[in-house]
Amino acid sequence: MVKKAATVKAKVSIHDVAREAGVALSTVSNALSGKDNVKESTRKKVQEAADRLGYRVSFVARSLRMQRTFTLGVLLADVSNPSSPDFLRGVEDLADRESCSLLVCNTDGLLDKQIAHMRVLLDRRVDGLVLLSQYCDPPLVRELLNSGTPFVLLQRRSRQHVDDYVGADNHEGITAAIEHLVSFGHKRIGFIRGPTESTTADERLEAYRLAVERLKLDDDPTLVIQGNYQVDGGYRAGREFLSMDKRPTAILAANDMSAIGVMNAASEAGVSIPGDLSLIGLDDIELASYAPINLTTIALQRRDMGTAAATLLMDRIRKKRKKAKQVLFPMKLVVRGSTGPVPVKKKLK
Amino acid sequence: MVKKAATVKAKVSIHDVAREAGVALSTVSNALSGKDNVKESTRKKVQEAADRLGYRVSFVARSLRMQRTFTLGVLLADVSNPSSPDFLRGVEDLADRESCSLLVCNTDGLLDKQIAHMRVLLDRRVDGLVLLSQYCDPPLVRELLNSGTPFVLLQRRSRQHVDDYVGADNHEGITAAIEHLVSFGHKRIGFIRGPTESTTADERLEAYRLAVERLKLDDDPTLVIQGNYQVDGGYRAGREFLSMDKRPTAILAANDMSAIGVMNAASEAGVSIPGDLSLIGLDDIELASYAPINLTTIALQRRDMGTAAATLLMDRIRKKRKKAKQVLFPMKLVVRGSTGPVPVKKKLK
DNA sequence: TTGTATGCGTTATCAT
DNA sequence: ATGATAACGCATACAA
């Protein structure tokens, strides 16, 4: 009596398939994994037996034997941060193509958490690690990174080492943004910088400074305010800027979230954008394009960057490359409605 | 000569530690995994040897042996969707506490992709599956779900089966929102529904209908327009509503993204919110609170829901419960600036 | 309290 | 082309 294909009963292993098909264990393995050293008729026989039994290979056993898990670990500060998921998707795009799965860990930007997660990932014998905007220089982190598991830095460059790295050309982006503002007549441009531990934030600030110097803009130290890449930091910075005696006519925020914070502050203060104040963000997260926000921003190709990072990583895993490689993505200014000419009226005060 | 703690050399296994410490293999295992059947002095000796060698347990081997991977699979349509990451974080919160890691898969809402990912997850022998707004009734999916691996549905209920499930009280939320609008004098309320395959969307629509009936509001079939939980769908629906002869004075969108779409449409049409049109979303994603958006919405406790789902799942994994359990979270109306009184002027036309 | 032996489910090596 | 066998690294039942 013919039975329907079994829907995975108990625990069926390769042994059972071998018995069912009347062949040797190794033949089953070869047949199922598409090796060419098995007769077509045998392969078919094995395949049928496997289906009949509802056999599914165990990645666990395979991983142990092959010393390869087909798993990548991704460390990020917080998936809830609107820019993170796009990077993640990019990584996944490639991982999928390479039959790898992703173990995702949030560190909340905490060093301890990152280290703990790194240990787990390493204990799980991931084939590689993607560090998305995370610590990469602290000694303990470095020690873990030196354990031999390939890794790649995404949006974060080491200050002391040369690693595989994917980032964006911050200089290019910031420069384009400032030139855009200058074309509107702005000369006094505030800058909200990112967290101090971030090399990316450093680069952006540096680019701002260079542009200010080159274009002979107001070079006033109070024009740079510390933010944290978050809305609240942008909000505080925005308030501070708006309360200044000689306040800037434009603000360049180190990322879109900070810019949103400025919007909140401006709205509260009754300052209109771009009427009274021009504003530029960086990231081009989706919400920047929504009509009520309509933020001029410097776009980052996050998904592509994620894919690029995963590509570098896979090369490493396959030992296709020995020396470190850096990939820099261009940044593109996306002009929307948050930038405009310098207000004509003289400011009060 | 004392050497510094080795930073993971070659491949050191439990064997090496045993040799180094001069004890048996099993003693190392017991000592390191904190069993109570090992003398304290021995444990210390073992621990030191392990540290000296830079030994780290292999989760792969352990998983094979224990038939437990301490890994949960999460299936979601798209992490880039602003509401997804919060659920994910909630799941992770609990997973962390339970020493589990998360394998995250995006399905893009495609059945084929979901099935492919489910297979991989099962082949990887995850301890459990979290289905976040995914297909759960198609025969192939059901077959996979029946394979014995515990699972939980998040924000998605089966139409045909009784499963572990965590959702929100859509009826309560929608009702509160409509009553809020009614208190402003609205009687003609448009509704943008979610995708047809979504049971959650069904519940929301049903709740809308019940409220319309109970409160004797305009009951006009054209007042319900199909959306897709995305901005573009909301935009199209918004345009349609705004072009109607007798257009609604308020719109209730099945989620925040759809509401944003309406905002885009309204902005384009020069319709002011809430002056000419009141708008309510659902989700309370972070951006709903930003000043330029300032959306009245029905809040979902996504992170807590994620944690609750993971909790149900872990119970299942530990076989602490046999019969299916449902958890319903309350929904809370968050009144912001997108709702107001019915416009006083007679509409043109 | 410690040690020995076995098996978890594969793939790879080597015969046949 | 196929089959037997040995790892892979660990946890556990049982023996000492």
Side-chain angles (χ1 to χ4, degrees):
Chain A
M1 178 183 169
V2 183
K3 290 197 59 177
K4 246 191 75 189
T7 54
V8 184
K9 50 189 68 173
K11 274 301 159 193
V12 24
S13 87
I14 201 170
H15 282 94
D16 307 305
V17 180
R19 193 162 11 81
E20 174 83 14
V23 300
L25 205 96
S26 51
T27 301
V28 176
S29 175
N30 288 330
L32 260 31
S33 58
K35 290 255 177 28
D36 59 353
N37 58 351
V38 20
K39 222 193 325 184
E40 206 40 56
S41 63
T42 312
R43 186 191 308 283
K44 202 173 153 198
K45 189 170 58 179
V46 170
Q47 186 59 261
E48 284 169 358
D51 292 346
R52 219 174 308 134
L53 264 36
Y55 168 78
R56 295 256 87 202
V57 70
S58 162
F59 268 58
V60 179
R62 167 183 291 177
S63 295
L64 180 60
R65 176 60 232 235
M66 296 177 70
Q67 298 293 81
R68 183 128 157 45
T69 55
F70 296 89
T71 307
L72 305 182
V74 182
L75 291 155
L76 36 72
D78 184 9
V79 274
S80 295
N81 181 308
S83 79
S84 302
D86 296 325
F87 287 114
L88 189 57
R89 281 309 305 261
V91 174
E92 193 188 312
D93 288 344
L94 192 88
D96 268 7
R97 257 177 281 159
E98 300 281 355
S99 310
C100 286
S101 294
L102 260 33
L103 243 15
V104 179
C105 305
N106 290 278
T107 66
D108 290 317
L110 270 23
L111 179 58
D112 286 356
K113 259 192 166 181
Q114 175 175 336
I115 290 176
H117 276 132
M118 284 181 73
R119 269 198 234 285
V120 171
L121 256 14
L122 259 18
D123 290 355
R124 285 178 181 269
R125 303 296 191 263
V126 294
D127 296 334
L129 245 28
V130 177
L131 274 77
L132 177 47
S133 289
Q134 297 291 321
Y135 299 98
C136 61
D137 277 334
L140 269 95
V141 173
R142 209 69 218 183
E143 187 177 331
L144 259 16
L145 252 22
N146 285 335
S147 69
T149 301
F151 65 95
V152 59
L153 306 182
L154 218 191
Q155 274 285 76
R156 149 82 55 190
R157 190 196 301 264
S158 167
R159 287 188 172 91
Q160 299 146 36
H161 302 83
V162 191
D163 306 307
D164 281 1
Y165 161 81
V166 172
D169 191 338
N170 288 295
H171 189 271
E172 172 192 53
I174 298 289
T175 303
I178 293 192
E179 286 176 350
H180 169 65
L181 290 173
V182 168
S183 79
F184 270 135
H186 296 277
K187 291 213 145 305
R188 189 167 179 75
I189 302 173
F191 185 82
I192 302 177
R193 60 156 296 162
T196 41
E197 326 88 52
S198 160
T199 53
T200 305
D202 287 349
E203 290 178 16
R204 293 175 189 175
L205 175 59
E206 181 60 19
Y208 161 82
R209 289 208 166 115
L210 285 174
V212 164
E213 186 175 357
R214 181 167 61 81
L215 300 171
K216 313 252 186 293
L217 308 180
D218 284 14
D219 192 358
D220 178 347
T222 67
L223 282 178
V224 175
I225 298 184
Q226 180 71 47
N228 58 1
Y229 278 161
Q230 315 261 73
V231 173
D232 63 339
Y235 171 77
R236 283 193 298 271
R239 279 179 60 111
E240 199 169 330
F241 275 131
L242 294 177
S243 70
M244 286 172 57
D245 285 345
K246 272 192 70 178
R247 73 189 196 196
T249 60
I251 294 177
L252 178 51
N255 76 342
D256 285 351
M257 295 304 275
S258 303
I260 299 284
V262 174
M263 285 189 162
N264 286 352
S267 155
E268 194 176 277
V271 169
S272 103
I273 294 176
D276 305 323
L277 178 74
S278 282
L279 179 65
I280 299 187
L282 191 155
D283 262 349
D284 194 25
I285 55 182
E286 198 189 324
L287 78 90
S289 69
Y290 303 156
I293 305 270
N294 202 19
L295 178 71
T296 294
T297 189
I298 306 165
L300 226 47
Q301 302 167 40
R302 291 185 295 285
R303 192 154 174 172
D304 291 340
M305 290 172 70
T307 301
T311 305
L312 288 191
L313 188 56
M314 291 306 302
D315 285 356
R316 228 22 132 139
I317 291 171
R318 296 217 192 74
K319 303 192 192 322
K320 291 212 167 166
R321 181 166 40 79
K322 270 222 68 167
K323 55 183 220 279
K325 187 167 168 185
Q326 273 87 36
V327 177
L328 230 51
F329 274 70
M331 277 183 157
K332 214 175 120 254
L333 182 70
V334 178
V335 178
R336 298 206 181 87
S338 66
T339 45
V342 174
V344 282
K345 304 190 195 178
K346 197 82 186 73
K347 292 187 296 293
L348 310 181
K349 185 116 202 240
Chain B
M1 180 181 166
V2 183
K3 290 197 59 179
K4 247 192 72 189
T7 54
V8 185
K9 49 188 67 170
K11 275 300 159 193
V12 23
S13 87
I14 201 170
H15 284 91
D16 307 302
V17 180
R19 193 161 12 81
E20 175 82 13
V23 301
L25 204 123
S26 56
T27 302
V28 176
S29 176
N30 288 328
L32 261 30
S33 58
K35 289 259 175 29
D36 58 353
N37 58 350
V38 26
K39 226 193 323 185
E40 207 38 57
S41 64
T42 311
R43 186 191 307 282
K44 204 175 149 194
K45 191 169 59 180
V46 169
Q47 185 59 261
E48 285 170 358
D51 291 347
R52 218 175 309 134
L53 265 34
Y55 168 77
R56 296 255 88 202
V57 70
S58 162
F59 268 59
V60 179
R62 167 183 290 176
S63 295
L64 181 59
R65 177 57 232 242
M66 296 176 68
Q67 297 293 80
R68 181 126 156 48
T69 55
F70 295 91
T71 307
L72 268 26
V74 182
L75 292 155
L76 36 72
D78 185 9
V79 274
S80 294
N81 182 309
S83 79
S84 302
D86 296 325
F87 287 113
L88 189 57
R89 281 308 304 262
V91 173
E92 193 188 313
D93 289 345
L94 192 89
D96 267 7
R97 258 177 281 162
E98 300 281 354
S99 307
C100 286
S101 293
L102 259 34
L103 242 17
V104 179
C105 305
N106 290 278
T107 64
D108 291 317
L110 271 24
L111 179 58
D112 285 355
K113 260 192 165 180
Q114 174 174 335
I115 290 176
H117 277 133
M118 285 182 73
R119 268 199 233 284
V120 170
L121 256 13
L122 259 18
D123 290 354
R124 285 177 182 271
R125 303 296 190 261
V126 294
D127 296 335
L129 245 29
V130 177
L131 274 77
L132 176 47
S133 290
Q134 297 292 321
Y135 298 98
C136 60
D137 277 334
L140 270 93
V141 172
R142 210 67 217 183
E143 187 177 334
L144 259 14
L145 252 22
N146 285 336
S147 68
T149 301
F151 65 95
V152 58
L153 306 182
L154 219 191
Q155 276 285 79
R156 149 83 55 190
R157 189 196 301 261
S158 167
R159 287 189 170 90
Q160 299 147 33
H161 302 82
V162 191
D163 305 307
D164 281 1
Y165 161 81
V166 172
D169 191 338
N170 288 296
H171 189 270
E172 172 192 52
I174 297 289
T175 304
I178 293 190
E179 285 175 351
H180 169 66
L181 289 174
V182 168
S183 78
F184 271 134
H186 295 277
K187 293 214 147 300
R188 188 167 178 76
I189 302 173
F191 185 82
I192 303 178
R193 62 155 296 162
T196 39
E197 325 88 53
S198 161
T199 52
T200 305
D202 287 348
E203 290 178 17
R204 293 176 188 173
L205 174 59
E206 182 60 19
Y208 162 83
R209 289 207 167 117
L210 285 174
V212 164
E213 185 176 358
R214 181 168 60 81
L215 300 171
K216 313 253 187 292
L217 308 180
D218 282 15
D219 191 359
D220 177 349
T222 67
L223 282 178
V224 174
I225 297 185
Q226 179 72 43
N228 58 0
Y229 278 162
Q230 315 261 71
V231 173
D232 63 339
Y235 171 77
R236 283 192 297 271
R239 278 179 61 114
E240 197 169 331
F241 276 131
L242 293 178
S243 70
M244 286 171 58
D245 285 345
K246 273 193 69 180
R247 71 188 196 198
T249 61
I251 294 177
L252 178 52
N255 76 342
D256 285 351
M257 295 305 276
S258 302
I260 299 284
V262 174
M263 285 189 162
N264 286 352
S267 156
E268 194 177 277
V271 169
S272 104
I273 295 175
D276 305 322
L277 178 75
S278 282
L279 179 64
I280 299 187
L282 190 157
D283 262 349
D284 194 24
I285 55 181
E286 198 189 323
L287 78 89
S289 70
Y290 303 155
I293 305 271
N294 200 21
L295 178 71
T296 294
T297 188
I298 307 165
L300 227 47
Q301 302 168 41
R302 291 185 295 284
R303 193 153 172 171
D304 292 340
M305 290 172 70
T307 301
T311 304
L312 287 191
L313 189 55
M314 291 306 302
D315 285 355
R316 222 32 128 138
I317 291 171
R318 296 216 192 75
K319 304 194 191 322
K320 290 212 167 168
R321 183 166 39 78
K322 271 221 70 166
K323 57 185 219 280
K325 188 167 165 185
Q326 273 88 36
V327 177
L328 230 52
F329 275 70
M331 276 181 157
K332 214 176 120 255
L333 183 69
V334 178
V335 178
R336 298 208 180 87
S338 66
T339 44
V342 175
V344 282
K345 304 191 198 180
K346 197 81 188 74
K347 294 185 297 294
L348 310 182
K349 182 108 205 247

